[in-house]
Amino acid sequence: MKKKILVVDNHPLMLTFMSQLLEKEGHQVLTADNGLSALERLKTFTPDIIFIDLIMPHISGEKLCQIIRKTPALKETYLIILSAIAAEQEVDYASFGADACIAKGSLDKMAKHILASLALADRRTGASSPPKIIGIEEVYARNITTELLSVKKHFEVILNSMVEGIFEITPQGKIVYTNPRAMTLTNRTEDQLLSSDFIELFLPSDRPKIKEILHQAGVPSKPLPVHVNGPLIVNEKPMDLRLLPIIEETQRSLIVILTDLSEQKRMEAQLIQSQKMEAIGTLAGGIAHDFNNLLMVIQGNASLMLLDMDTSHPHYAMVKMIEKQVQSGSQLTAQLLGYARKGRYELRPIDLNRLIIDTSEIFWRTRKNITLHRDLAENLLPCEADQSQIEQVLMNLLVNAADAMPEGGDLSLTTANVKVNELPGKGDLPKPGDYVLLTVSDQGVGMDPETLHRIFDPFFTTKQGGRGTGLGLAATYGIVKGHGGFIEVESQKGHGSTFKIYLPVSTQVLPPQKTSSAPQLKPTGKILLVDDEEVILEVGEKILKVLGYQPLVAKGGPKAIEIFKEHHGTIDLVILDIIMPHMGGGEVYDRLKEISPEVKVLLSSGYSLDGEASNIMAKGCDGFIQKPFDIDHLAQTIKNILETV
Amino acid sequence: MNIKELASRLEIEEKECREFLFLFQKTATLELSNLERALKMKEVSVVERLAHSIKGAAGILGLTEIQDAAKKIERSLGLNQLDEIQSELLLIKKTLEAVTLALNKKFKDA
Ligand SMILES: Nc1ncnc2c1ncn2[C@@H]1O[C@H](COP(=O)(O)OP(=O)(O)O)[C@@H](O)[C@H]1O
Ligand SMILES: [Mg+2]
């Protein structure tokens, strides 16, 4: 019976021999000299039998069989492996879907085997006959070059375990090899990939570029490895592409190395983000420092003017306005410092309930349409914190809650002692231990997930017309983190929001409440004011004089020590700036203490390097005052220090 | 080399045998020069593939000298003994020349 036969072999001799042999028998024969052109043929030709060589350029015989077996139209086609390899080693041809295997031998014998195999194809029953290689016994010894095989195995192991996807493609851009990683990266099976167009892996918009690159890489005159600096998008992931042209004598192809950049991109983004945060933090800290000094001078002068001014004075309201704006300005710098995790000056055990009552009272006076509900734990443990920063946190949350309820509404504040257990999972989670929990809940507009995702970003605000700075929660986050605590937020659009602030419990006990009912003494005493800025010294001197003290001023550390020595034993208090050129506040403090261990020192700063102020405080410094300060605040602070013996 | 004899051994017509030999000679000559070039460049896998191809084709035509020499080349490659290959190459070349000669002779005679 006449059959349609395809012969696939890369040797012209084999193709000629097979055509002649089979045509003589009356069969219709087509030939192909490699796997790819065979697949091309099979698009229009459906043979009854295909003879396939194993070792061929581009798609190997084994691959070709696998592809054919997966092609529905070729299910019934009888596949015969015709290979010299079969003469030298076991070929498990059934494993890749072939029906029979003939070892290449000399023409006379091969001719008989081939004709016999045709008969076999006819007699084929569904039941698979045991794999048998025809012709082996007649070929020379099977002393295959096993060394060679083991080298190949090594390469295979390497290729199979690489994290890069590796393709081999023909100069025409057809894929002829993929390693397993290339399949996972492209999310395609080997069958889908083999003999498909490489270019189709890419987005249509990238294809012209790829085409150009393939062309470049394949220019016969001087092929060079091309490095496409991604990211190209493949399977929705950013990828880097490298092309290595392979020029062999008989075959030209391109090795393509595909690297997934997702992880690298993510890390880069993370790095950029943290660098950005770091930069903003440094910037914020620097600005805050200079700004506070500047505000200090404005504040001081305004205070001094008000002292001489009656409320009926035509300028009274204006100077008051200046004071108020200075207050807003210093709030802004406090937010920046909070965000930068700077400005934690005075860590001491505080009673959070007390702080909540005081702060919420002040707040409520400005937002009377809000109904406050307080549910404060009676036995609340103290937490170690900077009082003014925690006030700032609470104020931020209260203002946001009120903003979320423009028509007014209920706002609840609760506190509790909680134990946080070990949380299995990611690294950055809170340390297990005892915490004080502050919950601020509103019934306002709430937030959608996108907003929720960004609320802690500095300068993120949804408030229109300059009403929001986007710094409130950024500062809140920075401050809480800086205190070793953490924040949880729950919110749904239209259903209100709940902010939970966890602060670590202090191991220390609360200091006794200061009784501020001490008899009003007329202030007296000699005070040395140390700062590196002339204007601060000027206004400070005036203020101290107004308060009734006898001021001395020193510009810089060395000068301060000189004056302190001169007035040995008569100086009641030193007000000391922390950041000064040449000799910083820390060093000045130590020197002063050397000269006179009993000296009282009040630290003052517009900003501190994290820990610097706390370090000096820890050495037993008597107090801290944040610039800009107004007269009342300064008076109170000085009085407190001088009164404590 | 006797083409007539070879044809009868392979159980094909002399004319067919000539055609096959011609194809073999043409392909193998090219493959051989490519092989030598690849050897210089130490492109082992190319050398290996070409030797395999020459071996296969020679085997088909029963040209056992060439077949054995090609096989030895394959083996030397596996053992990384690239120097051993030269003598085999020479042998293949000589035999190929004999094939060419035999093919040409017939044309001259005719
Ligand atoms: N209680 C809340 N209810 C609804 N949205 C809130 C609430 N708190 C914060 N937000 C959202 O988070 C954004 C950032 O808040 P914040 O950092 O305090 O900056 P700002 O208040 O200046 O906008 C707000 O603009 C708002 O969209
Ligand atoms: Mg806010």
Side-chain angles (χ1 to χ4, degrees):
Chain A
M1 201 184 79
K2 185 178 172 287
K3 292 210 165 54
K4 292 198 277 183
I5 300 176
L6 176 66
V7 181
V8 193
D9 199 301
N10 64 314
H11 207 290
L13 178 58
M14 275 303 289
L15 295 181
T16 313
F17 163 68
M18 291 292 283
S19 307
Q20 290 186 359
L21 177 73
L22 296 168
E23 274 165 4
K24 243 186 258 166
E25 298 289 317
H27 304 297
Q28 182 196 352
V29 184
L30 286 187
T31 61
D33 64 2
N34 64 55
L36 259 194
S37 54
L39 287 174
E40 210 49 49
R41 289 254 137 122
L42 289 170
K43 280 181 185 159
T44 50
F45 181 63
T46 310
D48 305 303
I49 297 172
I50 309 178
F51 286 96
I52 301 172
D53 187 16
L54 278 182
I55 297 190
M56 290 185 293
H58 303 332
I59 296 178
S60 73
E62 186 176 330
K63 284 275 145 60
L64 184 61
C65 287
Q66 285 167 349
I67 297 173
I68 289 171
R69 273 295 167 247
K70 297 224 167 82
T71 311
L74 301 170
K75 264 222 150 55
E76 293 301 308
T77 304
Y78 198 73
L79 300 182
I80 303 171
I81 297 298
L82 183 51
S83 167
I85 293 269
E88 301 172 340
Q89 71 181 96
E90 208 69 61
V91 175
D92 185 9
Y93 59 86
S95 73
F96 47 83
D99 298 290
C101 180
I102 299 174
K104 277 183 188 166
S106 66
L107 288 186
D108 49 335
K109 287 161 191 150
M110 214 172 20
K112 289 183 194 113
H113 297 316
I114 285 163
L115 297 179
S117 72
L118 291 187
L120 215 66
D122 263 345
R123 266 188 279 124
R124 174 159 67 147
T125 57
S128 54
S129 47
K132 186 170 176 297
I133 298 176
I134 311 168
I136 280 194
E137 59 282 6
E138 321 206 0
V139 219
Y140 11 86
R142 302 172 64 188
N143 52 358
I144 179 62
T145 52
T146 37
E147 298 85 1
L148 215 57
L149 280 177
S150 77
V151 172
K152 266 188 196 151
K153 279 257 153 56
H154 290 166
F155 283 133
E156 208 171 293
V157 170
I158 293 169
L159 282 168
N160 287 352
S161 55
M162 279 180 75
V163 289
E164 287 93 0
I166 312 275
F167 293 99
E168 183 178 351
I169 61 178
T170 65
Q172 291 73 39
K174 298 261 189 221
I175 299 173
V176 292
Y177 169 82
T178 92
N179 73 342
R181 180 64 178 157
M183 303 175 213
T184 45
L185 281 181
T186 54
N187 194 24
R188 276 165 230 228
T189 62
E190 189 172 37
D191 310 319
Q192 286 170 322
L193 286 172
L194 288 180
S195 92
S196 72
D197 279 316
F198 176 67
I199 210 160
E200 272 163 22
L201 294 173
F202 299 90
L203 299 177
S205 55
D206 283 337
R207 284 179 198 168
K209 193 158 81 186
I210 301 292
K211 207 170 203 161
E212 173 61 30
I213 288 159
L214 287 185
H215 182 70
Q216 273 175 27
V219 170
S221 56
K222 205 181 182 191
L224 281 173
V226 182
H227 190 189
V228 184
N229 234 328
L232 289 155
I233 303 300
V234 175
N235 187 26
E236 295 173 5
K237 287 188 282 244
M239 305 253 180
D240 175 84
L241 194 66
R242 267 169 300 161
L243 303 178
L244 310 167
I246 303 253
I247 308 286
E248 290 179 349
E249 303 306 336
T250 52
Q251 180 177 353
R252 181 190 292 273
S253 63
L254 282 171
I255 299 292
V256 182
I257 305 176
L258 205 58
T259 316
D260 188 354
L261 296 178
S262 309
E263 182 63 6
Q264 191 188 334
K265 288 274 164 234
R266 203 183 56 75
M267 306 253 285
E268 268 172 25
Q270 213 170 39
L271 189 66
I272 288 171
Q273 178 71 6
S274 68
Q275 280 172 343
K276 210 163 72 184
M277 293 292 153
E278 177 80 27
I280 296 177
T282 311
L283 186 71
I287 290 176
H289 171 251
D290 292 356
F291 236 76
N292 279 342
N293 274 339
L294 205 136
L295 291 171
M296 174 71 235
V297 178
I298 300 173
Q299 170 73 62
N301 282 303
S303 299
L304 287 169
M305 285 165 88
L306 283 172
L307 283 176
D308 304 335
M309 235 180 238
D310 207 77
T311 48
S312 61
H313 193 284
H315 291 160
Y316 183 83
M318 286 180 250
V319 180
K320 267 286 178 204
M321 177 81 96
I322 291 174
E323 263 201 324
K324 214 177 137 213
Q325 290 304 305
V326 169
Q327 281 308 311
S328 312
S330 77
Q331 266 164 28
L332 209 60
T333 55
Q335 301 278 50
L336 285 173
L337 283 173
Y339 168 66
R341 297 195 201 170
K342 304 260 164 76
R344 235 170 355 111
Y345 303 107
E346 274 193 285
L347 279 183
R348 51 190 172 81
I350 61 165
D351 174 5
L352 193 61
N353 285 347
R354 184 76 250 148
L355 185 148
I356 289 170
I357 293 168
D358 292 347
T359 308
S360 61
E361 221 96 281
I362 296 170
F363 163 79
W364 183 73
R365 269 183 255 142
T366 65
R367 305 278 184 120
K368 296 229 162 124
N369 62 345
I370 302 289
T371 313
L372 277 180
H373 303 272
R374 284 192 297 241
D375 181 8
L376 307 179
E378 265 170 36
N379 55 350
L380 193 70
L381 295 166
C383 54
E384 195 142 292
D386 182 298
Q387 165 121 2
S388 68
Q389 285 204 319
I390 302 302
E391 279 170 9
Q392 189 184 334
V393 164
L394 181 57
M395 203 50 124
N396 285 335
L397 296 178
L398 292 173
V399 170
N400 280 347
D403 285 348
M405 301 185 290
E407 313 293 325
D410 294 317
L411 199 170
S412 94
L413 290 166
T414 61
T415 54
N417 295 316
V418 294
K419 206 180 244 330
V420 171
N421 294 321
E422 190 95 43
L423 287 172
K426 293 169 200 156
D428 196 31
L429 280 175
K431 287 204 193 85
D434 292 318
Y435 287 83
V436 171
L437 167 62
L438 158 65
T439 308
V440 181
S441 259
D442 66 61
Q443 297 178 331
V445 294
M447 291 172 269
D448 56 27
E450 288 87 80
T451 305
L452 202 53
H453 197 70
R454 301 188 52 194
I455 53 173
F456 296 114
D457 290 355
F459 310 114
F460 172 77
T461 178
T462 56
K463 292 167 193 175
Q464 309 281 315
R467 282 196 312 111
T469 60
L471 279 174
L473 289 178
T476 298
Y477 182 83
I479 290 170
V480 173
K481 267 262 155 152
H483 280 80
F486 61 98
I487 306 179
E488 286 174 357
V489 192
E490 287 157 29
S491 183
Q492 255 187 331
K493 188 134 192 90
H495 294 280
S497 310
T498 299
F499 284 80
K500 291 182 174 173
I501 310 288
Y502 294 79
L503 293 171
V505 160
S506 169
T507 46
Q508 294 175 32
V509 287
L510 282 177
Q513 282 265 329
K514 277 197 192 117
T515 47
S516 53
S517 55
Q520 287 285 332
L521 292 172
K522 178 88 181 90
T524 50
K526 213 185 258 180
I527 296 181
L528 173 61
L529 178 62
V530 189
D531 207 298
D532 61 314
E533 285 197 45
E534 202 82 59
V535 273
I536 301 260
L537 292 176
E538 226 170 84
V539 71
E541 186 178 15
K542 279 184 199 156
I543 290 173
L544 290 171
K545 220 178 248 167
V546 165
L547 290 175
Y549 297 103
Q550 195 186 331
L552 294 165
V553 295
K555 184 162 189 264
K559 187 81 190 165
I561 289 158
E562 192 187 314
I563 295 178
F564 190 74
K565 277 184 184 156
E566 269 171 34
H567 294 259
H568 188 71
T570 62
I571 290 174
D572 299 288
L573 177 70
V574 180
I575 301 178
L576 182 59
D577 188 26
I578 296 173
I579 297 178
M580 292 183 292
H582 312 311
M583 193 189 280
E587 195 182 338
V588 177
Y589 178 83
D590 292 341
R591 300 280 287 273
L592 293 178
K593 280 283 174 184
E594 265 170 39
I595 299 164
S596 161
E598 306 89 58
V599 65
K600 289 184 171 172
V601 181
L602 170 61
L603 286 181
S604 118
S605 180
Y607 156 74
S608 125
L609 294 170
D610 210 7
E612 173 88 48
S614 330
N615 283 346
I616 306 175
M617 289 302 289
K619 288 181 191 162
C621 190
D622 302 272
F624 176 86
I625 187 160
Q626 160 105 53
K627 293 180 203 171
F629 41 79
D630 59 23
I631 290 187
D632 291 344
H633 190 186
L634 181 64
Q636 191 58 49
T637 313
I638 293 175
K639 215 166 89 193
N640 285 345
I641 293 176
L642 292 182
E643 276 168 12
T644 47
V645 190
Chain B
M1 125 153 259
N2 191 328
I3 295 181
K4 209 173 194 155
E5 218 178 86
L6 183 65
S8 80
R9 221 179 334 130
L10 293 174
E11 296 172 29
I12 46 176
E13 307 270 312
E14 190 184 336
K15 192 175 132 273
E16 264 182 316
C17 190
R18 277 185 173 281
E19 189 186 344
F20 293 155
L21 273 177
F22 179 68
L23 270 177
F24 170 76
Q25 183 265 348
K26 216 174 80 180
T27 319
T29 308
L30 187 71
E31 283 173 336
L32 203 64
S33 75
N34 286 340
L35 189 150
E36 279 177 311
R37 205 165 344 147
L39 194 62
K40 274 200 203 101
M41 314 284 288
K42 299 247 188 304
E43 293 175 326
V44 178
S45 68
V46 179
V47 176
E48 183 210 346
R49 206 188 51 236
L50 291 169
H52 177 85
S53 178
I54 295 173
K55 181 187 73 177
I60 291 167
L61 295 177
L63 303 171
T64 40
E65 289 112 319
I66 296 184
Q67 186 184 10
D68 289 344
K71 201 150 97 186
K72 279 191 190 135
I73 293 177
E74 273 190 328
R75 191 169 317 154
S76 305
L77 283 176
L79 300 171
N80 214 0
Q81 298 165 336
L82 296 195
D83 311 338
E84 320 263 302
I85 292 174
Q86 291 304 335
S87 57
E88 310 302 334
L89 279 181
L90 207 68
L91 202 130
I92 295 179
K93 243 186 248 171
K94 282 229 173 83
T95 320
L96 262 182
E97 269 163 29
V99 172
T100 315
L101 215 69
L103 284 170
N104 286 345
K105 200 167 157 209
K106 169 71 205 231
F107 285 129
K108 267 187 218 143
D109 291 352

